[in-house]
């Protein structure tokens, strides 16, 4: 399922003038249950590899993919 959202511009300090610009974020989560107890999953973060600041001096995580398998018994 796709994920997307927007974080508005905000000030870092109540008394300061430094602002962090607003940004859009996108991602994608996939899950497949082929057998009754096994699930394959994948997660994509920062789908378009956008560069933005999430907080004062902290950059967004770059494009990344996580894949995995889980089992229940």
């Amino acid at each position: 399922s796709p994920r997307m959202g927007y974080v508005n511009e905000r000030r870092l300090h109540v008394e300061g003038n430094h602002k962090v610009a607003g940004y859009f974020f996108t991602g994608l989560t996939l899950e497949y249950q082929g057998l009754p107890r096994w699930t394959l999953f994948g997660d994509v973060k920062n789908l378009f590899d956008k560069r933005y600041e999430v907080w004062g001096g902290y950059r967004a995580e770059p494009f990344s993919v996580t894949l995995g398998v889980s089992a229940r018994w």
Side-chain angles (χ1 to χ4, degrees), residues 3-73:
R3 272 190 323 273
M4 54 191 293
Y6 178 74
V7 177
N8 201 10
E9 177 183 279
R10 60 220 178 273
R11 288 188 294 170
L12 292 179
H13 306 286
V14 176
E15 301 166 356
N17 291 331
H18 184 73
K19 292 183 181 179
V20 175
Y23 59 88
F24 284 96
F25 61 89
T26 56
L28 184 63
T29 301
L30 302 170
E31 189 173 293
Y32 174 72
Q33 188 169 1
L35 297 171
R37 297 186 321 185
W38 295 89
T39 303
L40 302 173
F41 62 88
D43 185 49
V44 177
K45 293 181 182 172
N46 200 353
L47 187 61
F48 301 110
D49 199 24
K50 297 292 183 182
R51 311 260 188 242
Y52 53 89
E53 187 176 14
V54 293
W55 197 247
Y58 292 93
R59 300 280 178 211
E61 186 177 346
F63 173 83
S64 64
V65 176
T66 304
L67 300 173
V69 176
S70 65
R72 289 178 273 221
W73 62 89

